[in-house]
Structure formats: C-alpha cells, structure tokens
Amino acid sequence: MSSPEWKNPVIKWVDTRLPVFSLMHHSTAGYPSPRNLSYWWNFGSLALTVLIVMVLTGIFLVMNYTPHVDMAFDSVERIMRDVNYGWLIRYVHMNGASMFFIVVYVHIFRGIYYGSYKGPREILWILGVVIMLLMMGTAFMGYVLPWGQMSLWGATVITNLFSAFPIVGDFIVTLLWGGFSVDNPTLNRFFSLHYLLPFVLFAVVGLHLWALHSVKSNNPLGVEIKQPEDAIPFHPYYTIKDLFGMSLFFMFFLFFVFWAPNFFGEPDNYIPANPMVTPAHIVPEWYFLPFYAILRAITFDFLWIIPAKLGGVLAMFASILVWIALPWLDRSKVRSARFRPVYKWFFWVLVADFVFLGYLGKMPAEQPYVIMAQLATLYYFAHFLVVLPLMAKLEKSVELPESIAAAVLKKGDA
Amino acid sequence: MRKLIIAAVAALTMSMGTAQASGEYHPDFKEASWSFEGFFGRYDQAQLRRGYQIYSQVCSACHGLRLLSYRNLSDLGFTEDEIKEIAAEKSVRVPHDEVGAELNDDGEFFTREAKPSDRFVSPFPNDAAAIDANGALPPDLSLIAKARIGGPHYVYSFLMGYAEEIPEEVSSQKGFTVNEDKNFNLYYPGYYNSMPSQIYDEMVEYEDGTPMTADQHAKDIVAFLNWAAEPELDERKSLGLKVMLFLLVLTAMLYALKRKIWADVKH
C-alpha cells in the first residue's frame, strides 16, 4: 500500500514539501490491520481518547484553579459552584482518571492474554509500561491538587515511601516535598508536574504508535499478517469500529459523570486538608489498590538486609517493572492464549489474583488480610517468574492456523 | 451491553468494603428516600425551603455554610428582594473604610450589611471562637452530604441515631467505654458526639402544612444539606438525560454504519 498520486494541485504542492497527506494516508487507509481484530482491540484508541479528554478538561480547570494550600480546596469548590459548567468539566476530569485506568487495564490484560508483548513487539510493549508508569505518577499528583484530606494524607503516605531507600531516601523525600512535610511547595511542584507529565505522555504515546505502525497490530489468533488477504485497511474498517466502541464507552463514562460522579472517589476528600487530623483510613484511589496491597504485604525483613518498609517499596515497584521483562520470561513461541490450553487458565488466575489484591488493598492492614495479601503477592510474582518460564517448556500448544485469512475464511464457510 | 455490566460489576466490587473498613460496629443506615435520588430524581423545592428554615432557625446557631452564597437561595424559590433581606440580617467585615482606616474609633473592625453576592456568614469569626463557645468544633455543613460515606443516608441516620440505651453489639466491643460528658450516637465514628440530639417533633413551625414530625424535620434538613453540597444536581441530571439520548441515537447509527461497512468482509 504505497502512497497515492495526489491529484489536487494544492495537496500535491504541500505534500511534496511536507508529506502530511501521505502520513495521514499511511496511518489510515494505507495502514494494513489484521482483518480479525475483536472489540478488545478498541481499548487502545479509547485510551488515547481519554487522554485527550483529560488534557482538554484539565486545561479549563487550570484557568480557575489556585495552587495554594489556603485556596486550592475553595477554588475547586468555586469551579463546582460558580464557574459555568465547572461541575461538568471537573466531574469529567475526575471520573476520566478512573476511566483511563479501566481502559488501560483492559488494554494491558488484553495484551497479556494474546501475547502482544512477544517479538517483534517488545519495544511497543515496554513503551506501554512506561506509559502506565507516567499515568500513575500523573494521577497521583492530580489527586493531591484539590487539597482535601485524602490529597494531603495520600501524598504524605506515598512520598514517605521513598524514605525507605538507604542513604538517598531522606534526600529524595525532602526534594519531593520541597521542605520537611507535605505543604505548599509540595502542592506547587505537584501542580507543575501534573501539567507537564501529560505532554510527556503524549510523546511516549507517539512512540508507542510509531512502534505499532512499524510492527502492526497483533490479533486474536496471534499469527502475523503474511499475505494481503490477512489484512484490511485501518480506514474505514477500524475507524468505524473504534468510533462505535467510543460512543458506547462514552455512555458508560458519562453515566458516572451525570449520575454517580463521586462513585470512584473518597468522601474524605471533600474535607479540607488538615495536617492536625489524620483520617481513620488512608486509602489510595482504586486503581492503585493492587499495588498498595503488594506494598503492605511485605511486613517482614527480607534476608536480614532489607527492612520490611524497603522490601514493600521494592516489591511494589517490581510488580510493575516485571512487566518489562515479560517478553523474555514467556518464551513460548505461541502468542495467543487461544492456542495455549494451560496458559489460558493461568491468565484468568492472574486476573483473579490482581482483582483480589485490589480488594485487599482496600481492607485494613490486619489479619486475615495481611496473610491473604502475602499469598496473593507471592502468587503474582510466581506467575511471572516461575509459571511462565516453566510453561514455555512444558505446555503443548494446539496447532496454529496457517494464516489469518485461512482461519477466518474457513470459519465463514463452516 | 454485557461488557458494560461486567465492567460496572468489576468497578462496584473494587470500591466495596468502604463501609465495613473500620472495625467498629454500626447498624445499617436508617431507611429513607429522597426525591433527588435515582435516574430521574430532582430536588423538591418545598422540601429544600423547609430544610433551609430548619438550618436558619436551628443549625446556623453553630454551623456555617461558608461555600454557599446568599444568591444561591434563588434555587429555593426566594425572590431577589427576599434574598437581599436575608443577607442584610448578617454583617461582614470590611478591610478598611473610605479613607483607608482599618479600625474605627473604638478599635473595632468596620462592617457592612451582607449582600446577596456574599458567602453565608459563619456563626463564629474563627475556629478558636467556635471551639470556645461549643467545647468542640461544629463542622461547616457546606459539603457534609458529600464528605461522609453514605452521604445523605449517613447524615439522616446520624441525626436520628441518638440513643438512650446503648445496644449490646456496641457495649460488648473491646475497648468501648461510656462517656458521660458526650452524647451517644449509633452512627457516629467513636459513638460519642459533642452535639446533643437536635431533632424532635415540632422543632420548627412549618407554614406549608407538612407534618412537623421529628422524622420529617430530619429528612428536610438532609435534603437541604444535600442541595448545599450538590446544588448542580438538577441541572446535572437533566443535562445527563439529553446527553444519553443523543449518545443512544449516535451509537445506534454508528453501529448501523459499522455493519454496512463490514458487510462484505469476513472477519
């Protein structure tokens, strides 16, 4: 699918000097996609859509927000009460964060199920992990901005984690705080970074897409495009499919905005931040809960060298960083779980384990939850470090179809 | 649709357990319903006015509503003149007079009558004064209906949750001690609250013929406080219906278009 001969003289003139039209053609009508992508493949473009929605609503929020400990809370309430449609912009932004994580979690686990991280898509996958880390940082700092009780105390708990690192720990924490406690300088730097990071996100998403357009989409069969019949142009087929999915997704998204805007939030964050009063339970936003559970699961010193707190922090970071090694931990030649009868089951156990960790992250740090979190954490790492490498050796996969077209057309005939 | 339900259920289970997160025993919230709940729910203006009557005659002696402005009372059907009158009953501090003096001849701050554009004047000039007068800080109520787990259901249960007898489930808990100085409330975290029960039959005189029972009073004040916390609710839900209707049609059309475009592609 080479670039077309432009007939319109203006388009042709521009395109020879700056090939924007060729670029657009290459990434739409000229971009071959597997013909068999399921609706699980909608979530990538959905994630980009939510990112755009977040940036747009964020820009309007900033016009009315005051990043100062004495005024931040009231300025948010002013947006809610006095700014025209301020409540709508803020509720879209607030729920948008949850939507972003819902969409991205589906996107990630879809990639895990269909082996989308395997060669030649390793860099595509790793860029995805970087995006996830950037999102988590951005979301965490955004949650601090309304300067409610959970903003202040969540920030205190999470930034304190860095003090666990030997030697540099206290230095890092002081640097994050801009002082010796979470206070105005902290709010200011978090605000600055919360505005900056989404643009870094855009850049990494650009790389993610660049890599995608080079290696092309994986698909439910996990068999590469081998011949022209395997592929269809992205436009119009997947543009319309993405648009339909997007419209459906917006109904889900906006249901929360209009009817349950505080469903995902903590009521405590409607209490202005007060350094003198600690909330009874400090819980992070729901999308951090599985990692929070892993953090709290390490209640014991590890090998007498690593104290429990540092162990927890390391385990939490490792639980995401292990995704980077995924392409090399899972050496099975077969991508899609469809043709991996054993892996398929372990995938769902991993999903259940992850959801269970999320539940435990919400529970108080007491028995029996602690031991459950420890077992769930152990299993989480065992899945990646033991089960996957072993399975690559032991599992007998089902025979793969010859090509996408062969599988799709046969199914059609039957 | 199936995916939608699955996602909704997943989201639900993620946020469950909030209520039981603290180990303390509290009964389920008391049964109550309000006009503003549900898909088509709207505020009942007459109820909000009754609630405002209770706030202004009872609650406002100790509790502020600092995030509301007097002009917001137009939502409750008050006319511009009525709002001016209500505001004028309060006075606000002025930083200085026309010539720039900050204090008058008696060494006091200058004040003026409040205007509709002013925020509700809180009953105490600052937290220290409020604590001094009450023994504890009466919280500002602007966001109380959003700032507690259970929202209006909590506030209602709390108002009706004062009890003479301490139930077995509470007193049998480890570490529970009776506090003679404070007031026992079944729903309050830690059980003992500085505020005594405020709700009783005929606590205020309604003018619209609504029965003046304790329960009705509690429901009315909770409705008012919910409005104070979410004044945009009516507008939000009515815009939501329009947006959903639009999306429903758009989604159906996009689906038809998708079917049409994909009609001759086996996939």
Side-chain angles (χ1 to χ4, degrees), chain A residues 35 74 81 237 247 258-259, chain B residues 39 66 228 236 251 266:
Chain A
R35 62 191 298 159
D74 286 6
R81 291 159 190 270
Y237 296 105
S247 193
F258 288 117
W259 284 279
Chain B
F39 207 64
R66 63 181 190 90
R236 167 156 58 80
T251 308
K266 276 198 176 139

Side-chain angles (χ1 to χ4, degrees), chain A residues 35 39 74 81-82 87 91 237-238 243-244 247 251 255 258-259 261-262 267 270-271 281 408 411, chain B residues 3 22 39 66 68 71 119 142 146-148 228 235-236 240 244 248 251 255 261-262 265-267:
Chain A
R35 62 191 298 159
Y39 277 104
D74 286 6
R81 291 159 190 270
D82 294 337
W87 58 267
Y91 275 158
Y237 296 105
Y238 288 110
L243 276 175
F244 164 59
S247 193
M251 287 172 73
F255 168 80
F258 288 117
W259 284 279
N262 294 301
Y270 282 110
I271 303 171
H281 296 280
V408 169
K411 184 183 80 183
Chain B
K3 224 175 278 176
S22 84
F39 207 64
R66 63 181 190 90
L68 268 76
R71 63 182 157 77
R119 302 273 171 176
S142 309
K146 281 212 283 199
R148 297 290 181 276
E235 192 193 1
R236 167 156 58 80
M244 279 299 161
L248 214 64
T251 308
Y255 182 64
I261 289 172
W262 281 77
V265 181
K266 276 198 176 139
H267 56 281

Side-chain angles (χ1 to χ4, degrees), chain A residues 2 18 33 42 60-61 67 110 143 164 167 212 228 238 240 242 255-256 264 266 275 293 334 350-351 386 389 412:
Chain A
S2 63
L18 182 72
S33 304
N42 278 48
F60 284 102
L61 288 175
R110 187 271 284 151
Y143 193 62
I167 305 163
L212 172 73
Y238 288 110
I240 185 63
D242 279 356
F255 168 80
F256 288 100
F264 294 105
E266 285 296 324
V334 182
L350 178 72
V351 172
V386 181

Side-chain angles (χ1 to χ4, degrees), chain A residues 391-403:
Chain A
M391 214 180 330
K393 286 204 170 66
L394 301 174
E395 185 184 38
K396 278 207 167 59
S397 66
V398 179
E399 199 189 336
L400 288 174
E402 216 170 284
S403 68

Side-chain angles (χ1 to χ4, degrees), chain A residues 35-36 39-40 43 73-74 77-78 80-82 85 87-88 90-91 102 232 236-238 240-241 243-244 247-248 250-252 254-264 266-268 270-272 281 286 289-290 355 358-359 362-364 408-409 411-413, chain B residues 1 3-4 7-8 11-18 20-23 38-40 66-69 71-72 119 142-143 146-150 227-232 235-237 239-241 243-244 247-248 250-252 254-255 257-258 261-262 264-267:
Chain A
R35 62 191 298 159
N36 60 333
Y39 277 104
W40 295 113
F43 287 80
F73 187 90
D74 286 6
E77 277 304 313
R78 198 185 145 268
M80 293 298 292
R81 291 159 190 270
D82 294 337
Y85 290 100
W87 58 267
L88 179 63
R90 194 223 168 193
Y91 275 158
I102 290 175
I232 46 177
Y237 296 105
Y238 288 110
I240 185 63
K241 195 172 176 180
L243 276 175
F244 164 59
S247 193
L248 211 58
F250 268 108
M251 287 172 73
F252 173 76
L254 293 174
F255 168 80
F256 288 100
V257 169
F258 288 117
W259 284 279
N262 294 301
F263 177 81
F264 294 105
E266 285 296 324
D268 269 35
Y270 282 110
I271 303 171
H281 296 280
W286 69 267
L289 290 175
V355 172
Y359 162 81
K362 187 109 193 175
M363 292 292 115
V408 169
L409 298 177
K411 184 183 80 183
D413 290 340
Chain B
M1 194 59 210
K3 224 175 278 176
L4 222 117
L12 256 167
T13 43
M14 293 297 263
S15 63
M16 253 166 41
T18 323
Q20 65 266 40
S22 84
F39 207 64
F40 298 101
R66 63 181 190 90
L67 296 173
L68 268 76
S69 299
R71 63 182 157 77
N72 296 139
R119 302 273 171 176
S142 309
L143 284 166
K146 281 212 283 199
R148 297 290 181 276
I149 294 162
W227 168 79
E230 311 190 281
E232 86 296 343
E235 192 193 1
R236 167 156 58 80
K237 288 189 181 179
L239 179 62
L241 284 175
V243 169
M244 279 299 161
L247 280 178
L248 214 64
L250 179 70
T251 308
L254 287 172
Y255 182 64
L257 194 56
K258 193 245 156 198
I261 289 172
W262 281 77
D264 49 1
V265 181
K266 276 198 176 139
H267 56 281

